[in-house]
Amino acid sequence: MKYVVGDIVTRHSYQNDMLFRILELTDQTAMLAGEEMRLLADAPLDDLLPVSDIDKRKRRELGKQKEDVSYRLFRQDAKLMKKRNEYAATSGYESDASFFELRGRVLHLDGDAFYLQRCTELYERFGVPVYGVHLDEKKMPDQIASLLEMVQPDIVVITGHDAYLETRGNRDDLRAYRHTKYFAECVRIARKYCANRDQLIIFAGACQSHFETLIKAGANFASSPDRVNIHALDPVYIASKVSQTSYLDAIKLWEVLRNTITGEKGLGGIETKGIMRLGMPLKTPES
């Protein structure tokens, strides 16, 4: 079978459980990136199976259904927060005061340009201000300091692809992970920039990343506690929840994890306050 970069395939050795995009090809192997999951893998060419358009469409429809469930849960929570803010701003609806929301700004570093585009579109649907940057994971530590200075974000997302490689060591050996060490170094640099975990909120990690290392480095939220794969859009749900939660309120960990596609096996974090601040009055062009 003749493959080209960009082809969508599955792997025989893993019961064809996931869709992958071919990133690179050699004579005998292919470097693969998960189509929906933030997993990086390599495989011999004879382990690959091309995916028919019909199968691809069915799998993507199932994936879309999962994304829609998370989106609806998030919107429900956002509406409840909006009503609570309106109640507080109007002294229990006793005044006609109008207000605006100053939501947290996100700097999103992503090792996958395709995922970054999908994430940016979802941020925009949620009304969350975002500055997205596509960078190879290994180059992120060299660039993040200047990006923090330029963007002045409230929330930083450091993600892309990762994987735990059992042949390189046990689960506690950082050398057995493709990119966790680069994510962790970015977190440490960001924490030097702002040490307060409630003033700069950090999400870090991808599929199978070493969760404990990222939290110890200074992340508020990270993947992956059970070393499982995480969905491409999961970081957006966490960052957007923080962006739209008042700085007076603590993020309820179970609520934010419930709204993700992967859940608590792939994502975790520490107690964290929101970022959003109310302001008034809201001036219209006519006023």
Side-chain angles (χ1 to χ4, degrees):
M1 178 69 194
K2 181 73 172 178
Y3 295 105
V4 297
V5 171
D7 280 350
I8 305 299
V9 297
T10 58
R11 295 180 296 177
H12 287 295
S13 56
Y14 286 83
Q15 293 74 52
N16 304 302
D17 60 340
M18 284 177 54
L19 293 179
F20 287 90
R21 277 178 288 124
I22 296 179
L23 296 182
E24 298 176 10
L25 283 166
T26 65
D27 291 340
Q28 301 296 327
T29 63
M31 181 63 72
L32 308 172
E35 181 75 350
E36 299 294 333
M37 299 293 182
R38 289 185 171 275
L39 180 66
L40 196 63
D42 47 34
L45 295 182
D46 58 11
D47 190 38
L48 304 182
L49 179 70
V51 180
S52 69
D53 289 341
I54 294 176
D55 187 23
K56 194 187 308 179
R57 186 162 55 249
K58 287 181 179 178
R59 288 176 183 251
R60 284 176 173 168
E61 286 174 356
L62 289 174
K64 182 67 164 54
Q65 290 173 12
K66 293 179 181 179
E67 292 174 19
D68 287 345
V69 169
S70 289
Y71 181 79
R72 286 196 298 271
L73 286 171
F74 184 93
R75 296 304 301 171
Q76 288 173 7
D77 282 355
K79 287 180 181 179
L80 287 174
M81 285 192 291
K82 185 82 170 179
K83 288 181 179 179
R84 287 199 297 267
N85 293 337
E86 184 178 357
Y87 184 85
T90 59
S91 300
Y93 300 116
E94 292 182 1
S95 71
D96 294 327
S98 57
F99 66 94
F100 59 89
E101 294 180 348
L102 191 62
R103 296 179 176 179
R105 181 172 172 82
V106 178
L107 169 61
H108 184 120
L109 277 61
D110 207 313
D112 189 301
F114 173 71
Y115 286 168
L116 179 61
Q117 181 178 352
R118 291 184 62 190
C119 288
T120 301
E121 290 170 355
L122 188 56
Y123 283 121
E124 291 174 352
R125 288 181 71 187
F126 288 150
V128 172
V130 61
Y131 187 93
V133 180
H134 170 226
L135 280 172
D136 183 278
E137 291 86 351
K138 296 177 182 178
K139 296 179 180 178
M140 288 179 179
D142 297 328
Q143 299 292 326
I144 188 169
S146 60
L147 287 167
L148 288 167
E149 288 288 348
M150 181 181 72
V151 179
Q152 299 284 302
D154 304 292
I155 304 159
V156 179
V157 174
I158 305 159
T159 188
H161 295 291
D162 205 355
Y164 165 59
L165 306 174
E166 189 174 350
T167 56
R168 293 187 184 178
N170 62 40
R171 285 162 57 104
D172 293 325
D173 188 346
L174 206 56
R175 294 172 297 183
Y177 296 81
R178 286 191 187 273
H179 292 141
T180 296
K181 63 181 179 181
Y182 303 109
F183 295 147
E185 182 60 22
C186 284
V187 173
R188 284 189 283 269
I189 293 169
R191 274 290 158 248
K192 288 181 181 178
Y193 174 80
C194 180
N196 191 318
R197 293 199 193 208
D198 284 325
Q199 291 181 358
L200 181 66
I201 315 301
I202 302 174
F203 173 93
C207 282
Q208 303 176 12
S209 292
H210 196 283
F211 170 78
E212 296 81 3
T213 290
L214 297 173
I215 293 294
K216 288 178 182 177
N220 299 71
F221 302 94
S223 61
S224 165
D226 283 11
R227 308 300 189 262
V228 299
N229 299 329
I230 72 167
H231 193 275
L233 299 178
D234 281 336
V236 179
Y237 287 103
I238 291 178
S240 297
K241 177 71 172 179
V242 174
S243 174
Q244 296 186 22
T245 299
S246 170
Y247 81 104
L248 296 172
D249 297 332
I251 303 290
K252 293 180 175 61
L253 290 174
W254 170 241
E255 285 186 4
V256 70
L257 298 179
R258 177 197 65 184
N259 290 352
T260 64
I261 299 169
T262 305
E264 74 276 11
K265 289 186 176 181
L267 303 157
I270 62 172
E271 292 179 315
T272 301
K273 290 183 179 179
I275 288 293
M276 188 272 296
R277 292 175 182 265
L278 294 181
M280 63 172 58
L282 175 63
K283 292 293 185 180
T284 63
E286 293 78 20
S287 61

